[in-house]
Amino acid sequence: MTTVTWNSVSSATIPELTIGKITRQLVGEHRGSFVSIPGRPGSHYFPEERGRRRITIECFIMAADSAFPAGRRDAVTDVADWVDINAECPLIISDAPGVYYNAVLAETPDVDEWRELGMFELVFDADPYAYDSTGSSHLFNMTSGVPQTYDFGLMAQTWPILEITPTNGATTTGFTIEIAGQSFTYEAIVAVDDTVNINGLAMAVLAGSSNDVNITGAYDPIGLLMSGVTGIFPILLPGDNDIEITSLGGDSTTFDVNVIYRKRYRN
């Protein structure tokens, strides 16, 4: 039997609730724009990343014969308590194990009551991709100026967190890291064994291993280090990604580069 977990609470906690058909939009909504240009037929299209998509879940409530209709209405109230979360929360559907959707309840359901049965739809507004329920990471032991290539096993591009630690010498005066053609530079003195955290999800640079809530559940803005930052926060792409780190100065020439990321899927 299909179950739905919303904000860490399973639909199975409401025994009268049965999950029926589930409908997912195939891709996120179109967000590009068309601009008419004088003297040109049609219009010019400005593309944009896909927007959110709808997930519609058919639900049924059947009260026990001895409890009808009060039992059914009590169960409807239990469902209302379950779904009434005014925030974006993880939505997990048992037919797609291992992934979750960042979703909000998009519409207030109307319950269609007929005899013992109550029918309604839960409509969720979700990110265009499902997220892996566990984060992933890959540690590179790198030498300045020596590129490496790695396939992170992605279906869709994703924003990583990079933990960069000099491992020899005394200091580096900064570094440039390039991933899949996107270059990011941090100019400041970093001592050997100290870690700089480049957070592509939060678009921030932090001292130490301070990660994003979407990966590890921790984020510490007190360690913000945004001075000396130029370039583009890195994005991991499906397929092979070239990665290279270059020291800007100092005597540190080797680095540990830990790439932490959460895979996204088209489920």
Side-chain angles (χ1 to χ4, degrees):
M1 183 176 70
T2 301
T3 60
V4 172
T5 299
W6 168 238
N7 193 34
S8 302
V9 180
S10 172
S11 59
T13 61
I14 306 173
E16 300 88 352
L17 177 60
T18 298
I19 303 300
K21 183 175 71 173
I22 297 173
T23 304
R24 300 173 179 87
Q25 283 185 326
L26 189 62
V27 295
E29 67 179 3
H30 164 265
R31 294 197 306 169
S33 58
F34 297 91
V35 177
S36 298
I37 300 176
R40 174 177 172 172
S43 58
H44 186 78
Y45 176 64
F46 291 90
E48 181 55 272
E49 292 290 334
R50 285 282 179 185
R52 298 173 73 85
R53 61 173 171 161
R54 287 292 175 92
I55 299 174
T56 303
I57 301 172
E58 212 173 60
C59 298
F60 306 91
I61 285 183
M62 177 70 77
D65 292 342
S66 59
F68 170 78
R72 181 192 63 210
R73 290 176 180 165
D74 287 345
V76 169
T77 300
D78 291 340
V79 172
D81 290 339
W82 173 54
V83 299
D84 190 13
I85 306 295
N86 191 25
E88 190 174 55
C89 298
L91 174 68
I92 302 171
I93 302 172
S94 62
D95 68 356
V99 303
Y100 70 92
Y101 304 90
N102 276 336
V104 295
L105 186 66
E107 297 178 2
T108 301
D110 294 321
V111 182
D112 182 10
E113 297 181 304
W114 185 80
R115 298 174 66 89
E116 295 88 354
L117 185 65
M119 300 179 292
F120 57 94
E121 289 183 341
L122 295 176
V123 181
F124 291 93
D125 189 357
D127 281 349
Y129 299 99
Y131 293 85
D132 200 331
S133 58
T134 58
S136 301
S137 66
H138 184 80
L139 178 63
F140 295 89
N141 305 117
M142 303 195 70
T143 299
S144 177
V146 180
Q148 296 187 34
T149 300
Y150 188 73
D151 186 341
F152 293 94
L154 303 177
M155 181 178 292
Q157 68 182 33
T158 189
W159 289 263
I161 293 165
L162 308 180
E163 294 178 344
I164 299 177
T165 308
T167 56
N168 78 327
T171 62
T172 177
T173 59
F175 51 80
T176 294
I177 187 157
E178 183 173 324
I179 297 179
Q182 301 155 99
S183 182
F184 184 90
T185 297
Y186 177 68
E187 296 185 66
I189 294 176
V190 183
V192 66
D193 295 331
D194 284 351
T195 297
V196 173
N197 182 289
I198 299 173
N199 191 319
L201 289 164
M203 292 191 175
V205 178
L206 302 109
S209 301
S210 176
N211 299 320
D212 194 278
V213 294
N214 193 39
I215 298 261
T216 63
Y219 177 76
D220 181 11
I222 295 175
L224 195 63
L225 301 170
M226 291 302 288
S227 61
V229 171
T230 56
I232 300 173
F233 280 92
I235 298 175
L236 305 181
L237 303 177
D240 287 341
N241 289 254
D242 294 327
I243 179 169
E244 180 177 352
I245 188 168
T246 304
S247 177
L248 301 180
D251 59 355
S252 294
T253 57
T254 60
F255 300 82
D256 280 346
V257 179
N258 191 25
V259 182
I260 306 168
Y261 58 101
R262 188 179 295 275
K263 294 181 181 181
R264 302 195 300 166
Y265 304 97
R266 294 186 180 274
N267 297 53

